[in-house]
Amino acid sequence: MKTVDLRSDTITKPSPEMRAAMAAAEVGDDVFSEDPTVNSLQERIKTLTGKEAALFVSSGTQANQTAINAHTQPGDEVICEYNSHIFNYEAGAPAMLSGVQLHPLQGQAGVLDLDQVVQSIRSADHHFPRTRLICLENTHNRWGGAIYPLEQIAEIRKIADRFGLKMHLDGARLWNASVATGISIAEYSRYFDSVSLCFSKGLGAPVGSVVAGSREFIDRVHYYRKAYGGGMRQAGILAAAALYAIDRNVARLKEDHFRTKILAENISALPDFSINPALVQTNIAIFEVMSRTKSAPDYAEELSREGIKMIAFSAKKLRAVTHLDIDDSDIDFVIEKLNKLYRS
Ligand SMILES: *Cc1c(COP(=O)(O)O)cnc(C)c1O
């Protein structure tokens, strides 16, 4: 049976051409910083982000958490958004590994209100934790791939400067934001002390993320990467996939965005579901189920029996994500099935 897997953009499998690039990679021991392919990926990321240094790491979680660790001291407080990946999906690592406390703020489409940010910054009183870092997420996963407006980022940077705070960008899907807006990775990165980027989502590499920042900061990230068990040896095989992905799979993300929009438009026409297609900006569509009797997991199971895989994001919400391994015929298949099942 044909199946179309829209659960996540992490499910892509490396293409034969990507595997060939991996097989041909020159390698060395990256713990000694002697893997030429890893070094060339890190150089490439320095140029792309406009930062002094970059470090290849094993996952987006490792990228964010080593960065948080390198920016903070135990007991510090980190401002983030309530629905952010760092707060929800990283296994409590800020508390476990950095000994910091998160201060989540409820954003709108993932975007923090400026007054709210200012009010959440602690004053110098020994009762309070020390506010040290602000983390933003672009695009925002749980807010349906929403893009952070650059002007808002610039305003938050001004606040951070005023209070002497650092800023980290969880840019797991910054490629999507950049392709959708035409704003370069470097322009987004300019406002942050550190940036993480992921290769194993829309870009289709099997493994890997990267952290970029100042030389002195990346030196500390390197130390924490080792401590977390993230020192990899002949990692050039993986870096080759990332380099291949940067060359071939970035510009095509706009196809994912287009297909997600088409999907959202069709879903919005069905009485069972509610979504505003105008708010779908990139490759993620989150839509609500309207039924009083059927939950999102019920729909996910029903769809899965028909060969369509989506994630129930909550009791009321389903998430569909397009990616490299989804083409127009897959979207046609999904729309046809949805219409057959739910068109009244
Ligand atoms: C996927 C994701 C990450 C990293 O996840 P890993 O599974 O650890 O690679 C980080 N931030 C966001 C917003 C993500 O969607």
Side-chain angles (χ1 to χ4, degrees):
M1 186 179 75
K2 181 179 170 74
T3 55
V4 176
D5 196 339
L6 301 172
R7 286 173 303 165
S8 175
D9 43 9
T10 56
I11 64 113
T12 55
K13 296 192 177 139
S15 64
E17 297 77 19
M18 182 181 275
R19 285 172 183 257
M22 296 170 76
E26 260 190 80
V27 296
D29 189 331
D30 182 51
V31 171
F32 296 141
S33 301
E34 284 175 6
D35 187 300
T37 311
V38 170
N39 290 341
S40 109
L41 173 64
Q42 289 169 175
E43 285 302 314
R44 189 73 189 277
I45 297 299
K46 277 164 59 176
T47 311
L48 264 170
T49 57
K51 297 293 183 206
E52 279 175 10
L55 192 73
F56 187 51
V57 295
S58 64
S59 70
T61 298
Q62 192 170 72
N64 288 332
Q65 296 305 327
T66 51
I68 290 173
N69 217 335
H71 279 307
T72 59
Q73 295 295 321
D76 284 350
E77 195 165 63
V78 175
I79 295 169
C80 64
E81 202 274 330
Y82 187 78
N83 279 294
S84 64
H85 198 276
I86 285 172
F87 183 49
N88 289 280
Y89 297 126
E90 300 191 6
M96 196 193 317
L97 301 173
S98 299
V100 297
Q101 164 168 303
L102 295 180
H103 188 148
L105 304 176
Q106 186 80 55
Q108 193 48 49
V111 175
L112 299 178
D113 175 76
L114 299 177
D115 288 338
Q116 205 187 2
V117 172
V118 171
Q119 279 159 28
S120 70
I121 297 169
R122 310 285 188 164
S123 56
D125 175 315
H126 289 175
H127 287 81
F128 299 137
R130 286 168 306 184
T131 307
R132 188 73 73 184
L133 175 67
I134 302 173
C135 296
L136 306 184
E137 182 173 319
N138 193 11
T139 67
H140 200 297
N141 180 5
R142 279 188 68 85
W143 283 96
I147 296 167
Y148 227 104
L150 195 66
E151 313 75 62
Q152 191 75 3
I153 295 172
E155 291 303 317
I156 296 173
R157 177 76 254 184
K158 283 185 203 157
I159 296 170
D161 286 342
R162 180 142 56 93
F163 290 91
L165 309 181
K166 302 287 187 193
M167 279 176 67
H168 171 73
L169 173 60
D170 177 352
R173 293 191 184 82
L174 190 63
W175 313 102
N176 295 83
S178 175
V179 165
T181 58
I183 298 167
S184 69
I185 299 283
E187 178 63 11
Y188 276 121
S189 303
R190 204 156 73 74
Y191 298 96
F192 294 90
D193 300 282
S194 59
V195 180
S196 67
L197 299 168
C198 179
F199 305 114
S200 65
K201 291 205 163 135
L203 262 49
V207 178
S209 280
V210 69
V211 193
S214 72
R215 207 168 286 118
E216 177 263 340
F217 167 80
I218 291 297
D219 189 58
R220 270 178 290 140
V221 170
H222 204 165
Y223 167 75
Y224 289 115
R225 185 184 73 172
K226 188 69 182 135
Y228 291 10
M232 298 185 282
R233 301 293 176 175
Q234 285 70 34
I237 292 181
L238 302 173
L243 280 164
Y244 180 93
I246 295 169
D247 287 333
R248 313 294 170 95
N249 296 342
V250 175
R252 64 151 302 285
L253 289 171
K254 63 178 180 300
E255 294 178 31
D256 295 345
H257 301 170
F258 182 70
R259 291 187 183 111
T260 310
K261 190 76 128 181
I262 302 278
L263 189 61
E265 281 163 2
N266 279 273
I267 290 170
S268 74
L270 300 170
D272 286 51
F273 307 119
S274 168
I275 182 169
N276 181 352
L279 299 181
V280 174
Q281 296 176 289
T282 57
N283 70 324
I284 302 176
I286 294 179
F287 53 101
E288 212 163 318
V289 308
M290 304 310 283
S291 169
R292 283 163 192 247
T293 50
K294 271 162 76 180
S295 67
D298 294 337
Y299 279 98
E301 201 188 309
E302 189 166 76
L303 287 165
S304 153
R305 284 197 296 271
E306 296 287 326
I308 300 167
K309 293 189 186 175
M310 293 184 190
I311 283 187
F313 233 41
S314 68
K316 281 287 190 188
K317 284 181 180 164
L318 285 164
R319 187 186 78 164
V321 185
T322 62
H323 49 76
L324 190 56
D325 293 351
I326 296 293
D327 63 17
D328 287 338
S329 75
D330 294 323
I331 296 298
D332 291 345
F333 172 86
V334 172
I335 291 170
E336 201 174 300
K337 285 272 185 191
L338 287 172
N339 281 329
K340 199 186 88 194
L341 287 166
Y342 306 119
R343 173 134 261 162
S344 52

